Amino acid sequence: MEKWHWLALVVLMALTVRWAVSLHSYSGAGKPPLFGDYEAQRHWQEVTVNLPVRQWYFNSSDNDLQYWGLDYPPLTAYHSLLCAYVAERINPAWVALHTSRGHESQAHKLFMRATVLVADVVVYIPAVVVYCCCLKEVSTKKKVANALCILLYPGLILIDHGHFQYNSVSLGFALWGVLGVSCDWDLLGSLAFCLALNYKQMELYHSLPFFCFLLGKCFQKGLKGKGLGLLVKLAGTVAASFTLCWLPFLSGREQTLQVLRRLFPVDRGLFEDKVANVWCSINTFVKIKDLLPRDTQILMSFCLTFLSSLPACVKLTLRPSPRGFRLTLVSCALSFFLFSFQVHEKSILLVALGRWDKDTGAQHAFSLGPAGLRQSRPSCDPRPLLCLLCSSPLPVCLVLNEVPFMSTWFSLVSTFSLLPLLRKDGLLLPALLTAAAFCTACAAFLPLREAASEEGLRLRAFAGSLRRRLRLPGAALLPRATWWLFLASVAAMVLLTLATATLHPPQRLPDLFSVLVCFVSCLNFLFFLVYFNIIIMWDSKSGRNRKKVN
């Protein structure tokens, strides 16, 4: 029972931190005409409860798509409808058609904060607790420690409870999916992941590892025997779950296509404003959007995303294992974020850049040219851009027990990449406090010092191969280099945080610090992509070595 007492305490602490952050601020408070993501979530409740399903994704006099039109899959709309039913019974003015726009009251803020907390309690937190309890060959203390560190991850808390989102729902479903397929409950795992994908389309970042892992299981069982039966059952589960979620939108071809157009607005371009990915970082110096036609951008993006994901996915298909599956989730999520065609805002802990024009309410983007950062046209979506790392913090948290040093470092970088958005939303102090709490928990309960060794970094097999081929001395060069890179990364993050909080950028470079945050974050993410691919490709060798030692 002692374990459950500690887990209950961890959950209580996580809920307390979330509620404290939610009381501090919310996105877009008192900033007309669009207010912010808080208003977006409220407006979706207004639309879904007042309009018939067939009108949810179509532009009309009652549903102006330029004012927070629905652009998430059906399960998000159903969740909004459920919240709207409750809101309407408490106070119909909160979701009244047209007249409720920009509604702000203390009672409504309390209600909206409660909906996010309930989503955490119902979907996400139970998944984290069950996952940590299912860790094999791990002591009770480490299970509790892992649960604490995952639940205190700052990025998710700040975005969902400070900026105002429901990312915990899709992440929770995805985590239930990971649990299912890892424990050989493949049909339940597939169903859970389909729910995640039908809640937020960014879960496509995790789709390749799920597909390859399950396909590899079918190959292992034999496609002429049990494997074929499993493949048919999986296909039926996926088809049935998607059909049920999309049933109201399958009444006509135009209805279905309109939903898809809203989910994948490719007209927004290769990336939207400033994102900590490769395309945005390169665009600081070379204007890819202007030099290459749209079709070429899409092809180039697809090829690089596919090639960077291919090695890990091929190995997972040929040698499926729960550990390889978790590592491939990290690698593929990073590949998709860094190289894919950014068709939506919520893709990774991103950076919100730009300033609001007091007269038009439009957000202006800036680009770096020969004369410095110059103002460009208003962005097509005036909402402050953020890209939650729904695609990578979850997988990285799942390997927190296996590579604690790198996972902790990655979590800090992903939170740092949110810096401009957090400062804009008045969440800088909560960000610093939650980051400090996360670092304290990791340092106190995880073996970070030991984890910086070759064995702790899972680089022993790779380092041995490197030394043999290059005839290098036997000194542990890789851990030492990794440690110095970590110190350089932390120093850069600290200096940029201090500069952003205390200094004013040059007048002709108003977004200098934000651009630097984006660039530094991108460099870190590229390093993590290389690192995780290395330990994936050398995983079988290091696994055999550990078995011999044991």
Side-chain angles (χ1 to χ4, degrees):
M1 287 297 294
E2 185 179 355
K3 176 176 72 173
W4 300 112
H5 291 162
W6 281 109
L7 284 173
L9 184 62
V10 164
V11 170
L12 181 61
M13 184 183 302
L15 293 175
T16 303
V17 172
R18 282 161 165 74
W19 188 253
V21 170
S22 72
L23 292 175
H24 191 271
S25 178
Y26 71 87
S27 171
K31 295 179 180 178
L34 293 176
F35 300 97
D37 276 355
Y38 177 96
E39 168 63 10
Q41 303 293 341
R42 189 215 59 77
H43 179 64
W44 293 347
Q45 295 176 21
E46 171 195 342
V47 168
T48 53
V49 79
N50 287 292
L51 301 180
V53 176
R54 64 180 181 275
Q55 296 182 21
W56 286 358
Y57 291 91
F58 280 89
N59 192 61
S60 67
S61 57
D62 291 328
N63 185 22
D64 182 5
L65 294 182
Q66 297 302 312
Y67 184 84
W68 301 125
L70 263 169
D71 53 4
Y72 281 123
L75 211 56
T76 292
Y78 303 150
H79 181 209
S80 296
L81 179 62
L82 177 63
C83 294
Y85 279 141
V86 179
E88 194 173 41
R89 279 152 181 75
I90 298 174
N91 187 343
W94 292 351
V95 289
L97 192 62
H98 300 309
T99 59
S100 62
R101 285 194 177 187
H103 179 88
E104 294 180 10
S105 68
Q106 290 302 319
H108 187 252
K109 291 175 186 177
L110 182 65
F111 167 75
M112 294 292 280
R113 288 165 181 155
T115 61
V116 184
L117 202 64
V118 167
D120 265 7
V121 171
V122 172
V123 182
Y124 181 70
I125 292 179
V128 171
V129 172
V130 173
Y131 173 80
C132 292
C133 289
C134 290
L135 290 173
K136 297 180 179 179
E137 300 178 2
V138 175
S139 65
T140 299
K141 178 182 176 182
K142 284 190 176 181
K143 290 179 180 180
V144 174
N146 273 272
L148 177 63
C149 294
I150 294 174
L151 292 177
L152 288 182
Y153 169 64
L156 184 60
I157 295 174
L158 292 166
I159 293 303
D160 272 19
H161 297 271
H163 186 83
F164 206 89
Q165 293 282 313
Y166 293 98
N167 294 291
S168 60
V169 178
S170 60
L171 290 178
F173 282 136
L175 184 48
W176 284 115
V178 171
L179 273 166
V181 299
S182 299
C183 297
D184 291 327
W185 302 333
D186 297 324
L187 299 185
L188 289 176
S190 299
L191 174 62
F193 182 70
C194 288
L195 293 178
L197 191 54
N198 279 288
Y199 192 87
K200 288 203 172 181
Q201 61 269 46
M202 285 73 62
E203 285 299 329
L204 282 169
Y205 284 21
H206 299 148
S207 58
L208 270 180
F210 270 90
F211 174 79
C212 293
F213 186 42
L214 293 171
L215 184 62
K217 282 188 172 186
C218 294
F219 286 151
Q220 276 189 339
K221 295 176 182 292
L223 288 182
K224 292 183 179 180
K226 294 182 179 179
L228 180 60
L230 176 60
L231 186 62
V232 171
K233 290 177 184 178
L234 289 170
T237 301
V238 172
S241 57
F242 267 83
T243 301
L244 286 175
C245 288
W246 283 71
L247 194 59
F249 306 99
L250 299 177
S251 57
R253 182 172 178 271
E254 184 56 31
Q255 181 83 29
T256 306
L257 289 177
Q258 175 62 13
V259 179
L260 291 174
R261 281 192 289 265
R262 291 298 299 165
L263 300 187
F264 302 103
V266 292
D267 289 341
R268 292 180 181 180
L270 186 61
F271 61 90
E272 206 172 357
D273 281 347
K274 301 297 186 295
V275 191
N277 72 350
V278 168
W279 306 124
C280 185
S281 299
I282 292 177
N283 195 73
T284 306
F285 308 100
V286 180
K287 304 302 172 205
I288 300 177
K289 282 184 170 183
D290 300 331
L291 293 176
L292 300 176
R294 179 66 51 80
D295 291 344
T296 304
Q297 294 174 27
I298 294 175
L299 179 62
M300 177 179 62
S301 171
F302 170 79
C303 290
L304 284 176
T305 304
F306 176 74
L307 290 175
S308 61
S309 305
L310 186 62
C313 287
V314 169
K315 181 170 183 181
L316 181 63
T317 306
L318 298 177
R319 296 179 182 175
S321 68
R323 171 184 161 82
F325 172 54
R326 292 191 296 270
L327 291 171
T328 305
L329 281 170
V330 181
S331 173
C332 284
L334 276 170
S335 295
F336 269 76
F337 172 71
L338 287 167
F339 301 110
S340 67
F341 199 90
Q342 297 293 324
V343 296
H344 207 278
E345 304 86 47
K346 316 294 187 295
S347 307
I348 198 173
L349 278 175
L350 131 123
V351 185
L353 288 183
R355 61 176 178 82
W356 286 92
D357 189 297
K358 294 181 180 179
D359 298 323
T360 65
Q363 186 186 29
H364 296 276
F366 294 85
S367 57
L368 185 63
L373 283 166
R374 61 181 185 273
Q375 185 174 330
S376 64
R377 64 177 178 82
S379 62
C380 53
D381 187 346
R383 143 177 31 176
L385 295 177
L386 63 93
C387 237
L388 175 64
L389 192 71
C390 330
S391 46
S392 293
L394 174 65
V396 169
C397 288
L398 298 186
V399 296
L400 191 62
N401 180 63
E402 298 173 44
V403 280
F405 179 79
M406 299 300 290
S407 299
T408 303
W409 181 5
F410 182 94
S411 299
L412 291 176
V413 174
S414 61
T415 303
F416 163 76
S417 68
L418 280 168
L419 182 62
L421 172 66
L422 299 175
R423 185 172 182 272
K424 179 182 180 297
D425 277 354
L427 290 168
L428 192 55
L429 181 59
L432 295 175
L433 293 177
T434 52
F438 174 76
C439 291
T440 301
C442 291
F445 300 110
L446 298 178
L448 295 184
R449 294 292 296 180
E450 295 83 354
S453 63
E454 275 187 1
E455 183 65 27
L457 293 171
R458 301 292 186 260
L459 292 174
R460 175 165 292 181
F462 173 72
S465 175
L466 201 63
R467 282 195 289 266
R468 286 192 302 272
R469 294 182 181 182
L470 301 180
R471 296 181 180 179
L472 295 173
L477 297 178
L478 285 177
R480 194 177 304 171
T482 303
W483 179 254
W484 282 107
L485 285 173
F486 168 73
L487 293 179
S489 174
V490 170
M493 290 190 288
V494 169
L495 289 176
L496 278 173
T497 301
L498 291 174
T500 301
T502 60
L503 301 178
H504 294 287
Q507 189 171 1
R508 71 185 190 91
L509 302 174
D511 283 338
L512 175 63
F513 297 146
S514 298
V515 171
L516 289 175
V517 168
C518 169
F519 191 74
V520 169
S521 301
C522 180
L523 289 178
N524 278 274
F525 291 143
L526 284 169
F527 167 75
F528 289 121
L529 178 63
V530 173
Y531 166 77
F532 280 107
N533 271 285
I534 286 174
I535 62 173
I536 287 170
M537 301 313 294
W538 267 263
D539 186 45
S540 59
K541 295 181 181 179
S542 59
R544 287 197 297 269
N545 292 339
R546 285 194 296 274
K547 287 180 182 178
K548 290 178 181 178
V549 171
N550 292 336

